[in-house]
Amino acid sequence: MSNDKLSLFNTLTGSVEPVRTIEDGKLRFYSCGPTVYSYAHIGNFRSFLTADLIVRTARALGWEVDYVTNVTDVGHLTDDDLADASGEDRMAKALKSDEGRRFANVYDLARYYTEVLLDDWHSLNLIEPTVRPRATEHIRQQIEAVEHLVEQGIAYETEKGVYFDISRFPDYGKLSGNRDAENLEQAVRDVVQDEEKRNARDFALWKKDPGHLMQWYSPWGWGFPGWHIECSVMSMEYLGEQIDIHAGGEDLIFPHHECEIAQSESISRKTFANHWVHTRFLQVEGEKMSKSKGNFFTVRDLIATPDEGGRGVDPMALRLALISGQYRKPYNFTFETLKASMKHVERLRSAFETARGGLDAADGPDRVGDRLADLRSSMLAAMLDDLNTPSAIAAAIEGAKLIQGLGENLNASSARSALDFLQSASSLLGIPYHDQEAEDPSASASHDPLETRVEELLRQRATARESKDFERADQIREELDEMGIEVMDGPGGSSWRRKTEI
RNA sequence: GGUGACGUGGCCGAGUGGUUAGGCAAAGGUCUGCAAAACCUUGUACGGCGGUUCGAUUCCGCCCGUCACCUCCA
């Protein structure tokens, strides 16, 4: 393991290799974003978190990062294209669903789910990309790319659309290993049918469809772009013809990324992306996450308060839980892990409070600096080693325990080392110590009737405790418990929080 | 059928050719009016069968199991 090189598994070569940036000290990075036809779920976010951690780790190395992640706001075809030749897409489907009826049209729906995506993005403290391009805002570039491919004789037009001619790209299959044409053709799945396609593997660059809910005028008439072309185009627009890393979920390896390579490299005649990084799907409680199994969770399902129908999970606990398995291994998301993550987040926060408190203490010899510096380098080393988050988190927790262990004895210079350490853990893992939104409810003045009631009861309880009326104090504790409030007594008085529903 | 991963103690998960990951949970203890937090103590695992080796959980082969993709998917 190298000390200052970021190594990642490269799907293209099948091995972990150092990321060698095209330009020294600068990372050009594209990460595939979601289609916004519904609420993003925790599996989506596991993949976005991988991208986030790549950016954080690269920055920790002092690299400048150009980070582009898109929003796919064009509906693409569903697999019952055969049954519905008019070309119903995911968004059109969503619009007809119970959830989607309230939207006036498909643009309205896309706009709503994009906003929600960004809310969740902020809740989980994901880094803002340098650019967040939307497919619908780059239609012209997509049309031009397709035109270029047609001019080169690499793409051809039929009655139904424009297709990429696989036979013109011998490297097709280099990413996924799906090189065997016959196999693909005899796959059990039905493929998009067009009698005029020259090769069953040829994929759509443009679909002619005057009935599609989103359509644009092109040299081939009214229609909409193929799914893969948007990422090629947006990546080239903002990062240039060649990039260092391209990332996404493992399901995107084929066909999406395979097709992106074919298109992009046919256009530029250069290697599109040097490093391909894919995040594995997660399972929930040992099973595939699916609505029918009742183990399907969106971010908001978990972080919304119980009054809002959620489970009141601290967003940072959710974030930590989602990164507590390495991105490249199958990960079993469980509520046990989520509970453990809550403890970890609290532990980090309280270490931070301890450290901050120690700044005002008398000065003295720094008793933790060296050990924390070691832990900090092993934390970074773990991340550089193919984003070994479990190992990095272990180092962060160990540091927090070390700081907590000093407690009252923390002097000012130890406190400064402690804060240094905690701050680098925070920026590397993306776990801030100040709640961005859910500030400690007991500390904030609020007009929430529940909070007013809680404060009142706590005052009564404090009085009862002062006069040693513990029976009354416990009674109030119980009453609050029934209201979903947990009370914690400390040396400086009592604090409280909403209990979570997990 | 094809391609690619993965299988570690009750659970989540590092790691390694011979010496303790870590966390959560559990049990006992210290502290605290109660509760929480914190701290201390306890617990020896690597799917199966072969092979290489002085020695394999770690390398090799086969098998079993799980997951993903094979034109909707993070």
Side-chain angles (χ1 to χ4, degrees):
Chain A
M1 189 192 343
S2 159
N3 282 328
D4 56 352
K5 285 237 163 60
L6 169 60
S7 290
L8 293 169
F9 184 87
N10 186 353
T11 309
L12 204 53
T13 58
S15 57
V16 176
E17 18 181 86
V19 175
R20 295 186 196 83
T21 53
I22 296 163
E23 195 178 323
D24 234 16
K26 175 163 179 171
L27 183 71
R28 293 179 171 83
F29 177 37
Y30 189 94
S31 167
C32 278
T35 303
V36 283
Y37 64 94
S38 182
Y39 296 106
H41 54 70
I42 56 175
N44 297 120
F45 271 92
R46 168 144 132 114
S47 170
F48 307 154
L49 279 162
T50 301
D52 186 73
L53 292 170
I54 288 173
V55 175
R56 288 174 185 278
T57 306
R59 285 190 181 161
L61 289 177
W63 293 1
E64 182 192 336
V65 183
D66 276 354
Y67 171 32
V68 177
T69 182
N70 66 292
V71 169
T72 296
D73 53 358
V74 176
H76 294 287
L77 300 178
T78 62
D79 60 354
D80 31 39
D81 187 47
L82 264 186
D84 181 6
S86 65
E88 186 179 44
D89 65 51
R90 301 183 78 70
M91 287 193 169
K93 239 177 156 169
L95 199 57
K96 286 187 205 157
S97 71
D98 291 345
E99 169 73 26
R101 273 182 225 288
R102 61 205 171 97
F103 300 109
N105 60 42
V106 73
Y107 292 95
D108 198 22
L109 177 140
R111 194 179 305 121
Y112 173 77
Y113 286 117
T114 302
E115 280 166 15
V116 166
L117 169 78
L118 299 187
D119 283 349
D120 291 346
W121 193 276
H122 297 139
S123 298
L124 292 186
N125 194 35
L126 285 136
I127 284 175
E128 273 303 287
T130 316
V131 189
R132 190 194 303 277
R134 290 154 209 236
T136 52
E137 293 170 3
H138 298 77
I139 299 295
R140 174 196 170 145
Q141 291 91 326
Q142 295 182 64
I143 290 173
E144 285 171 352
V146 178
E147 275 187 301
H148 179 79
L149 288 168
V150 171
E151 280 162 20
Q152 303 291 305
I154 293 166
Y156 59 92
E157 183 183 1
T158 73
E159 280 295 304
K160 292 183 180 171
V162 180
Y163 297 94
F164 185 95
D165 184 349
I166 292 299
S167 67
R168 299 297 305 277
F169 192 74
D171 272 349
Y172 191 78
K174 70 176 171 183
L175 182 69
S176 62
N178 288 335
R179 287 179 176 280
D180 182 358
E182 280 185 22
N183 173 53
L184 265 185
E185 283 159 25
Q186 72 191 48
V188 195
R189 287 276 209 131
D190 295 320
V191 290
V192 176
Q193 293 285 306
D194 183 341
E195 299 300 322
E196 292 181 78
K197 266 167 71 173
R198 294 178 191 166
N199 184 315
R201 296 186 300 162
D202 291 351
F203 58 90
L205 294 167
W206 187 266
K207 282 284 277 188
K208 298 179 184 176
D209 184 359
H212 196 256
L213 286 179
M214 282 184 181
Q215 50 175 303
W216 293 267
Y217 194 69
S218 76
W220 316 281
W222 289 99
F224 63 100
W227 173 36
H228 319 301
I229 194 73
E230 65 180 58
C231 289
S232 291
V233 156
M234 294 188 288
S235 176
M236 286 195 202
E237 170 110 4
Y238 298 105
L239 296 170
E241 289 180 334
Q242 293 191 282
I243 65 173
D244 300 305
I245 306 178
H246 194 121
E250 62 170 326
D251 56 321
L252 298 183
I253 297 170
F254 190 89
H256 189 55
H257 289 160
E258 195 72 73
C259 295
E260 275 187 49
I261 290 174
Q263 297 159 345
S264 306
E265 299 193 353
S266 294
I267 290 170
S268 69
R269 304 284 168 193
K270 290 176 188 155
T271 300
F272 176 42
N274 289 322
H275 225 102
W276 288 85
V277 173
H278 294 100
T279 303
R280 291 221 47 167
F281 277 15
L282 56 71
Q283 289 183 272
V284 175
E285 304 290 348
E287 287 191 292
K288 184 186 167 118
M289 183 166 73
S290 74
K291 284 178 181 160
S292 60
K293 281 181 180 144
N295 65 352
F296 185 93
F297 296 105
T298 63
V299 169
R300 54 196 42 225
D301 286 338
L302 295 171
I303 67 177
T305 62
D307 333 340
E308 295 166 339
R311 302 207 182 205
V313 174
D314 184 317
M316 287 309 101
L318 177 57
R319 177 182 168 107
L320 195 61
L322 287 173
I323 63 174
S324 68
Q326 195 218 17
Y327 77 96
R328 193 160 67 81
K329 287 202 169 178
Y331 173 61
N332 188 13
F333 179 89
T334 65
F335 280 88
E336 284 299 313
T337 303
L338 197 47
K339 278 185 203 163
S341 299
M342 286 182 181
K343 290 206 161 191
H344 290 157
V345 169
E346 276 166 24
R347 183 167 260 176
L348 287 166
R349 282 184 189 142
S350 83
F352 181 75
E353 289 308 321
T354 302
R356 210 162 46 170
L359 284 180
D360 300 328
D363 218 335
D366 184 348
R367 276 176 293 174
V368 286
D370 290 347
R371 290 181 63 194
L372 288 176
D374 284 351
L375 283 171
R376 171 156 48 178
S377 17
S378 46
M379 203 159 56
L380 181 59
M383 293 303 282
L384 292 174
D385 181 18
D386 202 19
L387 304 183
N388 189 339
T389 43
S391 174
I393 292 168
I397 299 296
E398 203 178 323
K401 283 176 86 168
L402 187 62
I403 293 162
Q404 278 299 72
L406 263 74
E408 313 278 295
N409 302 320
L410 200 64
N411 61 40
S413 64
S414 301
R416 279 193 295 272
S417 297
L419 278 177
D420 259 14
F421 171 83
L422 290 167
Q423 242 126 29
S424 53
S426 169
S427 62
L428 198 56
L429 299 173
I431 309 288
Y433 305 117
H434 310 283
D435 250 336
Q436 317 102 298
E437 24 203 327
E439 261 302 319
D440 180 5
S442 56
S444 66
S446 165
H447 304 293
D448 181 345
L450 175 76
E451 288 182 22
T452 313
R453 175 81 185 127
V454 169
E455 299 294 350
E456 172 55 28
L457 282 170
L458 279 182
R459 268 193 295 276
Q460 290 178 23
R461 182 163 172 276
T463 312
R465 288 180 72 206
E466 263 171 50
S467 52
K468 305 270 185 218
D469 183 358
F470 296 124
E471 202 176 319
R472 174 66 187 141
D474 289 349
Q475 203 183 333
I476 294 173
R477 174 187 284 286
E478 212 161 294
E479 196 174 326
L480 285 164
D481 187 71
E482 278 163 25
M483 292 163 64
I485 301 298
E486 187 178 1
V487 180
M488 288 129 343
D489 297 333
S494 304
S495 59
W496 62 278
R497 65 182 169 201
R498 289 190 172 84
K499 291 191 296 184
T500 57
E501 304 279 308
I502 64 166

